[in-house]
Amino acid sequence: MAHVCIHWFRKGLRLHDNPALMAALTDCKELYPVFILDPYLHHTKVGINRQRFLIGALKDLDCSLRKLNSRLFVLRGKPEDVFPKLFNRWNVTKLTYEYDTEPYSLRRDERVASLAKEHGVDVIYKISHTLYNIERIIEENNGKPPLTYKRLQAIVQNLGPPKKPIPAPTLENMRDVKTPRSQKYEDEYRIPTLEELQLDSQFLGEELFPGGEQEALRRLDEHMKRTGWVCSFEKPQTSPNSLSPSTTVLSPYVTFGCLSARTFWWRLTEVYRGRKHSAPPVSLHGQLLWREFFYTCSVGIPNFNKMNDNPVCTKVDWDTNQQNLAAWREARTGFPFIDAIMTQLRQEGWIHHLARHAVACFLTRGDLWISWEEGQKVFEDLLLDGDWALNAGNWQWLSASAFFHQFFRVYSPIAFGKKTDKNGDYIKKYLPLLKKFPPEYIYEPWKAPRSVQQAAGCIVGKDYPHPIVQHEQISKKNIQRMKEAYAKRSSDNNESPIKKQGITGIYISPGLLPPPYKTW
DNA sequence: TGGTCGGTTGTACCA
DNA sequence: TTGGTACAACCGACC
């Protein structure tokens, strides 16, 4: 029997390495490629850069599908409301999609799958967002997520390399498949503009990272040609404040699934072959494994995006301070390095990993003592590569709430940037107000004599804010508060080690701080 | 994937 | 020549 099939795009906005889409084409007479703008995921709070990236990715997908005599159908609403109507309207017999491990997605997909069953629709899903089947990694580690990178590496070593990516469907694959198209459909299911999504595009900057599979593959090709660079890539050696990105900026494409992580992995393997090359955790392969690491944690650890009821997260008495949170979010902390990074984040939707470290440390354990959950929300809205699992994992890491425990390693909002940008050119690019300050004051303009401030045309306290905290003092105090939080954690764990751990494995010796380990 | 401080060592320069 | 000085580079200890 030939099927009428919906392939549901959510992430995985690509044709290459899309096994669920290929499954849709098997015994298929009619194909409906569908994307649903879900108010839970695509609300107006999501940053406009991210929305633009999504719209770009959808346009690109539609364009590629049209080359296969198909198209993309874009709908709006809650998937559980949308699908029953589509099942009836199109007499659907099969639904395919890519497996998604986020808690919201799992609940959503469970509801949709059960609706599909009620309508006599077969459901097929495939794993292609991650390198591995995440549940398989957990199984291999005796049912617990590996809580160190090293452990994850050992597990995946046993599993062997990730599956090879499969090619995109061709016209040959589409020979017996039709996508019904009519003028009525064109209007009804077209891709909305940003204005239609009630977004004001006048605040948009230049589109540095356009969404879409074609751009993703172009960008991948461009970087893979640089064999020497790829082979010697070590993440910690790249600069957080170069004027153009010092890394690939493929992450937004992997996040939306415009680029398959497995395709990226195997392209790197090709480049590495026969050459001396860097290795995980610092290499580019290593970066993909970090993604895998946090995905595995996010699946195996309950309430992974929260402090409370999250068994790996140290409980910290974070302050509530709306003024300071707003100053951080809106790039007016008075520390040019921090404010420049937050400006780049808002304008461009991407900042370097180490820049994320600097601002995350500043918001949490370093200076403002504000919960990492607040930072998580800001990154979620503003980062093009904002990914539920990676965002939660990295915020816990940086705030020394989980995974990373050397809380006395505090980034200086003044000294850190100087290592790779002595002149402060990065600050001048994103905070042009400060561009006339001489290098000796650019990281701490409040120290400049009045005459220098006047000459620079920028008076601290009037044109640019005073620093909202005194870093030297506050960071010392915060280290002490962190020490107390760790001491409390240890004594709580001693009282009921297993119960407090929540997940059954004992991965931190109760009563002891984890040994200083180096993960790269 | 830290920062700071104090101490040591190495080195360039010069009287 | 050589001793003095300044300073950079590095190390370990500590937070």
Side-chain angles (χ1 to χ4, degrees), chain A residues 347-359:
Chain A
Q347 282 177 2
E348 300 179 0
W350 180 89
I351 51 177
H352 186 274
H353 188 65
L354 289 177
R356 300 176 197 204
H357 279 216
V359 296

Side-chain angles (χ1 to χ4, degrees), chain A residues 35 45 220 224 302 322 335 362:
Chain A
F35 183 88
K45 243 196 97 221
L220 178 68
M224 292 308 104
Q322 293 303 329
F335 291 93
F362 186 87

Side-chain angles (χ1 to χ4, degrees), chain A residues 230-373:
Chain A
V230 168
C231 289
S232 63
F233 183 93
E234 294 191 356
K235 187 65 165 281
Q237 303 309 317
T238 58
S239 161
N241 48 4
S242 50
L243 295 185
S244 58
S246 59
T247 52
T248 65
V249 199
L250 284 167
S251 52
Y253 301 92
V254 176
T255 299
F256 282 82
C258 300
L259 175 62
S260 154
R262 299 188 296 214
T263 299
F264 192 178
W265 177 277
W266 282 100
R267 284 292 295 277
L268 287 165
T269 303
E270 277 171 41
V271 176
Y272 289 159
R273 191 165 295 139
R275 297 185 174 96
K276 190 173 168 281
H277 61 86
S278 55
V282 295
S283 64
L284 284 165
H285 263 174
Q287 304 313 304
L288 288 168
L289 289 179
W290 277 112
R291 177 172 181 268
E292 216 68 7
F293 173 69
F294 286 127
Y295 262 83
T296 311
C297 290
S298 77
V299 169
I301 298 165
N303 300 303
F304 191 60
N305 64 333
K306 297 184 183 75
M307 178 176 80
N308 291 327
D309 305 314
N310 171 343
V312 303
C313 185
T314 303
K315 308 300 172 267
V316 177
D317 62 335
W318 304 113
D319 292 335
T320 302
N321 185 326
Q322 293 303 329
Q323 279 82 33
N324 281 355
L325 174 59
W328 177 82
R329 189 175 55 226
E330 293 158 19
R332 42 185 179 80
T333 65
F335 291 93
F337 183 57
I338 300 298
D339 294 340
I341 294 168
M342 295 305 287
T343 302
Q344 185 188 15
L345 171 60
R346 187 167 296 276
Q347 282 177 2
E348 300 179 0
W350 180 89
I351 51 177
H352 186 274
H353 188 65
L354 289 177
R356 300 176 197 204
H357 279 216
V359 296
C361 182
F362 186 87
L363 179 73
T364 59
R365 65 190 169 84
D367 295 83
L368 302 187
W369 203 258
I370 290 172
S371 167
W372 58 269
E373 291 179 43

Side-chain angles (χ1 to χ4, degrees), chain A residues 142-157:
Chain A
N142 305 316
K144 299 163 285 179
L147 292 173
T148 64
Y149 189 89
K150 273 215 154 69
R151 183 71 197 142
L152 177 102
Q153 267 185 296
I155 302 285
V156 301
Q157 203 92 52

